[in-house]
């Protein structure tokens, strides 16, 4: 077997979570990421018949039975992942009952996947039903998006329209908009189900006073979605207290959408 720590998906995953930490999005053990792996990515790196141990997931995910995920561990610090991947990450396969995960690699100190893994499974299930190329769920705590939830109306249409107007590329990157949840207790199936419901119409879901969930077909796409929304929120937080003399209009947003061949979320522009 080849060394799994040299696998392209592992290198990319470690690079991404390290970037998330250096961006200031994942303090302490805050945040979590899961990547759906293809079986042909694994067969030269892992004996998939060798299960280290079985871990209850706390959620029934029949649609994901047999699927493998590379996922961050509970209580693990993103800053340590690059130095000790096998302790801070794990590869799990959803068991035949849909309620357990079979550990194939990692969590070598006896740990387990993030407490948000049930929420990840819910979002994976929904997004796979919409986009068969979906692979990533990413949760983190970007400072400006978080700050914005304290001072901005949480109506998701208005929240999105504000961000669309901050940077021209926002319409190109997330034309489907950003959905928003009011404050809820994290680490519960309730917030996971609410997030998955919001994932039916957008790839980004803000948790007020907490952070954001982003999804995508690969790590770069999910990271880029969050990065762009966070940059727009940073611009907003810098100017929110100032008189606005000019801004991008809805007509101009539509011009951007037409130029880049994207469709703004239905009814969210006033034309």
């Amino acid at each position: 077997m080849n060394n799994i720590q040299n696998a392209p998906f592992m290198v990319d995953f470690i690079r991404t979570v390290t970037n998330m930490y250096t961006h200031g999005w994942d303090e302490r053990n805050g945040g979590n990421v899961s990547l759906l792996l293809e079986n042909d990515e694994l067969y030269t790196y892992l004996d998939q018949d060798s299960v280290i141990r079985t871990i209850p997931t706390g959620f029934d995910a029949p649609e994901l039975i047999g699927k493998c995920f590379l996922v961050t561990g509970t209580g693990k610090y993103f800053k340590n992942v690059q130095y000790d991947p096998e302790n801070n990450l794990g590869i799990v396969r959803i068991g035949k009952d849909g309620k357990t995960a079979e550990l194939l690699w990692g969590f070598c100190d006896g740990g387990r996947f993030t407490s948000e893994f049930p929420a990840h499974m819910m979002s994976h299930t929904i997004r796979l039903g919409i986009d068969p190329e979906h692979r990533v769920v990413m949760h983190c705590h970007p400072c400006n998006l978080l700050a914005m939830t304290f001072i901005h109306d949480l109506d998701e249409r208005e929240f999105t329209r504000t961000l669309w107007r901050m940077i021209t590329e926002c319409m190109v990157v997330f034309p489907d908009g950003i959905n928003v949840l009011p404050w809820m207790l994290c680490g519960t199936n309730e917030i996971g189900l609410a997030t998955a419901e919001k994932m039916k119409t957008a790839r980004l879901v803000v948790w007020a006073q907490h952070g954001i969930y982003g999804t995508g077909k690969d790590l770069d796409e999910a990271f880029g979605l969050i990065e762009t929304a966070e940059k727009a929120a940073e611009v907003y937080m810098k100017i929110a207290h100032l008189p606005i003399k000019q801004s991008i209009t809805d007509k101009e947003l539509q011009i951007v959408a037409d130029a880049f061949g994207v469709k703004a979320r239905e009814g969210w522009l006033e034309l």
Side-chain angles (χ1 to χ4, degrees):
M1 290 288 178
N2 296 322
N3 184 348
I4 195 167
Q5 295 191 36
N6 295 330
F9 64 81
M10 183 70 71
V11 173
D12 195 22
F13 194 95
I14 293 170
R15 176 182 62 82
T16 299
V17 298
T18 301
N19 269 338
M20 293 171 73
Y21 175 74
T22 56
H23 271 59
W25 297 353
D26 296 275
E27 72 293 337
R28 200 172 181 269
N29 62 320
N32 29 78
V33 182
S34 61
L35 169 66
L36 173 60
L37 300 170
E38 300 289 351
N39 285 340
D40 61 4
E41 292 180 293
L42 284 174
Y43 78 96
T44 62
Y45 297 103
L46 282 180
D47 177 2
Q48 295 186 52
D49 293 325
S50 179
V51 176
I52 299 170
R53 52 191 163 93
T54 300
I55 309 170
T57 63
F59 180 69
D60 187 5
E63 300 90 346
L64 301 179
I65 290 172
K67 294 189 181 298
C68 295
F69 296 89
L70 175 57
V71 58
T72 52
T74 186
K76 303 300 184 182
Y77 291 29
F78 275 26
K79 71 182 181 67
N80 295 331
V81 171
Q82 62 182 316
Y83 306 112
D84 190 2
E86 194 171 4
N87 185 36
N88 293 284
L89 306 176
I91 295 176
V92 298
R93 179 175 60 209
I94 305 304
K96 294 179 180 179
D97 61 358
K99 300 177 182 179
T100 55
E102 300 164 340
L103 180 63
L104 304 178
W105 175 88
F107 302 144
C108 61
D109 64 347
R112 54 180 289 154
F113 41 73
T114 169
S115 62
E116 303 283 2
F117 191 51
H120 281 235
M121 290 192 293
M122 298 172 202
S123 288
H124 277 297
T125 299
I126 292 297
R127 292 307 305 174
L128 281 167
I130 296 168
D131 178 9
E133 294 187 351
H134 161 87
R135 292 293 179 270
V136 178
V137 172
M138 182 178 291
H139 171 56
C140 56
H141 308 152
C143 188
N144 292 286
L145 280 166
L146 212 136
M148 191 171 164
T149 66
F150 286 86
I151 65 171
H152 194 284
D153 190 319
L154 294 182
D155 176 87
E156 48 206 18
R157 178 176 181 267
E158 293 310 311
F159 199 92
T160 295
R161 284 164 53 81
T162 292
L163 294 178
W164 278 347
R165 290 193 293 264
M166 294 300 104
I167 308 175
T168 301
E169 71 170 352
C170 287
M171 175 57 74
V172 182
V173 177
F174 51 92
D176 48 341
I178 296 178
N179 286 338
V180 182
L181 285 175
W183 185 91
M184 298 177 68
L185 181 63
C186 58
T188 65
N189 283 2
E190 287 75 18
I191 196 170
L193 288 167
T195 303
E197 182 65 25
K198 294 289 188 183
M199 285 289 176
K200 291 179 179 179
T201 52
R203 294 162 297 153
L204 288 168
V205 179
V206 166
W207 288 3
Q209 293 84 51
H210 184 137
I212 193 168
Y213 258 60
T215 62
K217 68 179 186 299
D218 55 36
L219 291 159
D220 278 350
E221 182 177 77
F223 184 97
L225 278 170
I226 295 171
E227 185 176 36
T228 306
E230 169 65 0
K231 172 60 72 68
E234 181 180 4
V235 175
Y236 172 76
M237 293 303 297
K238 288 178 182 292
I239 66 171
H241 62 293
L242 300 172
I244 305 300
K245 294 187 176 181
Q246 53 272 325
S247 180
I248 304 172
T249 67
D250 281 22
K251 182 179 179 180
E252 289 167 337
L253 288 171
Q254 186 61 59
I255 290 171
V256 173
D258 292 342
F260 285 88
V262 299
K263 182 175 174 57
R265 188 146 160 190
E266 190 68 34
W268 281 26
L269 291 180
E270 296 177 0
L271 299 171

